[in-house]
Amino acid sequence: MLFQNVQNYYEKLVLEELTERDFMSGYEQGYVEDIACVALNNLPVQYFRFEVDMGFYMESEDYVLMRKQVKQAVNDAVIFINDKLAKENG
């Protein structure tokens, strides 16, 4: 069963982080998607149906912590993907 309104909040945060770092407009789509996948696989999940619910129920400290986790996960993912590409290209 596919839930049309169920989303992972970390996906939004990873997309925002990649956008802030200009990954969305200067890199190949596959490269950016690989980074997003690796980052998301190293983050917990936080599902929601309506984004307004996240803003209403989330404490500001929780949001700051989530953003820090996302920054670190994206950093780690970039290193991982770059290392993988370097090994493949010898």
Side-chain angles (χ1 to χ4, degrees), residues 35-49:
I35 291 170
C37 287
V38 171
L40 287 165
N41 283 334
N42 289 300
L43 289 164
V45 293
Q46 182 68 48
Y47 290 108
F48 67 96
R49 282 187 58 212

Side-chain angles (χ1 to χ4, degrees), residues 34-83:
D34 286 346
I35 291 170
C37 287
V38 171
L40 287 165
N41 283 334
N42 289 300
L43 289 164
V45 293
Q46 182 68 48
Y47 290 108
F48 67 96
R49 282 187 58 212
F50 304 105
E51 192 167 347
V52 69
D53 292 341
M54 291 300 296
F56 183 74
Y57 292 110
M58 186 184 316
E59 299 289 330
S60 61
E61 297 86 19
D62 294 333
Y63 180 76
V64 170
L65 175 62
M66 291 172 85
R67 292 292 300 192
K68 286 175 74 172
Q69 291 173 319
V70 167
K71 286 182 186 300
Q72 186 61 54
V74 169
N75 287 341
D76 294 345
V78 168
I79 291 168
F80 177 82
I81 295 298
N82 287 343
D83 285 348

Side-chain angles (χ1 to χ4, degrees), residues 5-22:
N5 294 321
V6 176
Q7 300 175 51
N8 178 0
Y9 192 65
Y10 278 98
E11 290 178 17
K12 176 185 182 303
L13 296 179
V14 167
L15 178 60
E16 287 175 2
E17 183 67 22
L18 292 169
T19 301
E20 287 174 13
R21 294 185 189 198
D22 291 327

Side-chain angles (χ1 to χ4, degrees), residues 27-40:
Y27 296 89
E28 292 181 19
Q29 183 176 352
Y31 175 71
V32 177
E33 289 172 348
D34 286 346
I35 291 170
C37 287
V38 171
L40 287 165

